[in-house]
Amino acid sequence: MKTRILILGAGFGGLELSTSLSEALGDSIDVTLIDKAEGLVFGFAKLDLMFGRSSEAAIRHPYADYAKPGVRLLREAVTAIDPESRRVTTDKGVHEADILVVALGADYDVSGTPGVVLGRNEFYSVAGAAHIASVLPGFTGGDVVIGVCGAPYKCPPAPSECALMLHDYLVARGLREATRITYVNPLPSPVPPSPETSKALLEEFARRAITFIPNTRVTAVDEGARSVALDNGGSLPCDLFLGVPKNRAADVVVAAGMTENGWVPVDPRTLQTKYAGVYAVGDLANTGAPKAGVFAEGAARAVAANIISQLRREEETAKNPGAGSCYIEFGANRIARVDVDFFSGPKPTGTFYQPSEALRVDKEHFGSSRRARWFGR
C-alpha cells in the first residue's frame, strides 16, 4: 500500500513539499494537497496590486495549472483536524493520512483591534489590497498611517515597502506635500535581524519625511473621528489607514489544540510537532525564523528530505536552514536584498545589499523560477 501523505495548504511550503516529494518518489506515493483558494498569490504581489502595478487576475497563479506525478491537489476547505489520528475533515469529505503536514499559513485576527476590517483598510489580504487600490485614486491628501497591529507578522519588511511605494505614488500624483506618512510598528526597528538594513530604511524614511514610530502597536482605528489609538496611550490623526492585522494560526488549527500562544510549537530544525507523524511548516509554525515564503520553502525542503529518507529506511539528517533572502522595494524602481540567517550562529544575522535597479531582475527571477518549478510556466 502506498504511503498516504496529506498536506494542508498550497502556499510556498505546501507547493515546495509536494513538488520535492513528487520529484523523488513519483507515483510510488499518494500525496494529497488541499487548499480552499483558487490559486497562489505571492505576498509581494499584493503591493503591486495595491499601487496599480498589476491586476488581481495577473497576480493569481491558478491551482488548476498544478500537476505533479503522485500528487492530487484538491480545492477544499479544512473544517477539522485530529492530529492524534492524522484525520482531516473538509467541506467535501474526510481524509486520513500516514503522514500529515499542516501548512495553512498565518491567518488574520482583527477581533482585538476595533476598526480594522479585513478587505477594507488592511493590505495583507488580496481583497484588502484590491480595495485600497480602488480607494487611493480618490485620496487627495491628509494623514496616512501605516500601522502594524501585532507581532510577529508575515513579511516583516512589507510595511516599510508600503511606506516608500506610497511616497512615490503620491509624488507622481502631486500630493506628497499635502500628505503626512506615519509608520507605526511594535518592533524596535524595521528589520531587527539586520541593523544595516534597518539603518538604510530609516535613512530613506528621513529623506522622504516619513515618520517611523517603533516599539508601538496600533490598538484601534476610528474612521469617523479620523484617528488611530496606540498601545502607549497616544493617538494619531488618520485620514487613511493602511493596516497590518494581527497574525495567528488559522481557527481550525487552534481548535485542533495544536497551538500555544497562537502558533504551532515545533522542533525548529525538523518541523515535527508533538504528534507522531505530524509536521507544521510555514507561517503557522513557531520556529523562531521570520514568517515569509522563502523560509517556508526552506523548511518544506527539509521535511521532504526527511520523509523521503524515512520511506527509504535511511537516516533522517535534513535540517531546516532557517535562512533566506528577502527583496525590499526602496522606491524609485530600486530593490534591495537582505540575506538573513537565524540558525547558523548564536544570534540571527543579516547581510544587506544596497538598493539598485539591477536587483529588480533578481526579484523577478525569484518569482519566475518558482512559478516554473511549481506550475511549469
Side-chain angles (χ1 to χ4, degrees), residues 188-207:
S189 64
V191 184
S194 175
E196 191 178 0
T197 305
S198 292
K199 180 175 181 290
L201 284 167
L202 291 172
E203 288 174 351
E204 293 288 338
F205 294 162
R207 193 172 294 122

Side-chain angles (χ1 to χ4, degrees), residues 57 95 123 156 179 197 204 282-283 304 316 326 347 365 374:
H95 304 270
F123 60 95
T179 305
T197 305
E204 293 288 338
D283 293 342
E316 298 176 34
C326 291
K347 64 179 183 178
H365 175 72
W374 298 331

Side-chain angles (χ1 to χ4, degrees), residues 312-336:
R312 291 173 174 171
R313 303 183 187 279
E314 300 170 350
E315 184 180 1
E316 298 176 34
T317 60
K319 302 293 184 186
N320 173 22
S325 298
C326 291
Y327 294 91
I328 306 174
E329 295 274 354
F330 261 70
N333 202 40
R334 299 168 305 147
I335 296 283

Side-chain angles (χ1 to χ4, degrees), residues 38-42 45-46 48-50 52-63 65 126-127 129-130 133 371 377:
E38 295 179 9
L40 174 72
V41 175
F42 291 104
K46 295 170 190 173
D48 291 331
L49 173 62
M50 177 176 163
R53 294 182 175 184
S54 192
S55 67
E56 188 170 343
I59 66 172
R60 195 180 302 277
H61 309 291
Y63 288 137
D65 294 343
V126 174
R371 287 195 299 271
R377 55 179 174 77

Side-chain angles (χ1 to χ4, degrees), residues 4 7 41 84 103 122 150 174 208 253 276 346 350:
R4 300 166 302 170
I7 305 169
V41 175
E84 294 279 3
E122 50 78 27
R208 288 161 173 73
V253 180

Side-chain angles (χ1 to χ4, degrees), residues 155-178:
C155 193
S160 297
E161 295 180 287
C162 177
L164 295 170
M165 293 171 73
L166 178 63
H167 168 88
D168 284 0
Y169 174 86
L170 294 171
V171 168
R173 289 191 56 207
L175 293 171
R176 186 62 187 93
E177 291 186 2

Side-chain angles (χ1 to χ4, degrees), residues 81-284:
I81 302 170
D82 183 346
E84 294 279 3
S85 64
R86 299 183 294 279
R87 191 170 190 264
V88 173
T89 304
T90 73
D91 58 348
K92 301 289 180 61
V94 176
H95 304 270
E96 297 183 343
D98 301 302
I99 298 172
L100 172 64
V101 183
V102 183
L104 289 169
D107 214 338
Y108 304 117
D109 178 13
V110 298
S111 61
T113 315
V116 176
V117 181
L118 293 180
R120 175 177 170 81
N121 55 7
E122 50 78 27
F123 60 95
Y124 262 51
S125 71
V126 174
H131 179 74
I132 293 171
S134 72
V135 169
L136 282 175
F139 181 72
T140 57
D143 288 285
V144 180
V145 177
I146 299 164
V148 180
C149 301
Y153 59 92
K154 294 190 282 188
C155 193
S160 297
E161 295 180 287
C162 177
L164 295 170
M165 293 171 73
L166 178 63
H167 168 88
D168 284 0
Y169 174 86
L170 294 171
V171 168
R173 289 191 56 207
L175 293 171
R176 186 62 187 93
E177 291 186 2
T179 305
R180 288 167 295 279
I181 302 174
T182 304
Y183 168 25
V184 180
N185 195 316
L187 301 178
S189 64
V191 184
S194 175
E196 191 178 0
T197 305
S198 292
K199 180 175 181 290
L201 284 167
L202 291 172
E203 288 174 351
E204 293 288 338
F205 294 162
R207 193 172 294 122
R208 288 161 173 73
I210 296 168
T211 301
F212 176 65
I213 303 177
N215 300 309
T216 307
R217 178 173 58 87
V218 171
T219 58
V221 178
D222 188 334
E223 292 185 346
R226 299 194 174 192
S227 70
V228 299
L230 309 177
D231 64 351
N232 61 11
S235 64
L236 293 170
C238 180
D239 299 296
L240 177 65
F241 182 70
L242 306 177
V244 178
K246 182 181 178 183
N247 287 196
R248 67 170 172 81
D251 288 340
V252 69
V253 180
V254 176
M258 297 183 68
T259 60
E260 293 179 10
N261 299 316
W263 307 106
V264 181
V266 294
D267 180 318
R269 302 309 296 270
T270 66
L271 290 307
Q272 293 180 356
T273 69
K274 63 183 179 181
Y275 305 98
V278 180
Y279 301 82
V281 169
D283 293 342
L284 56 68

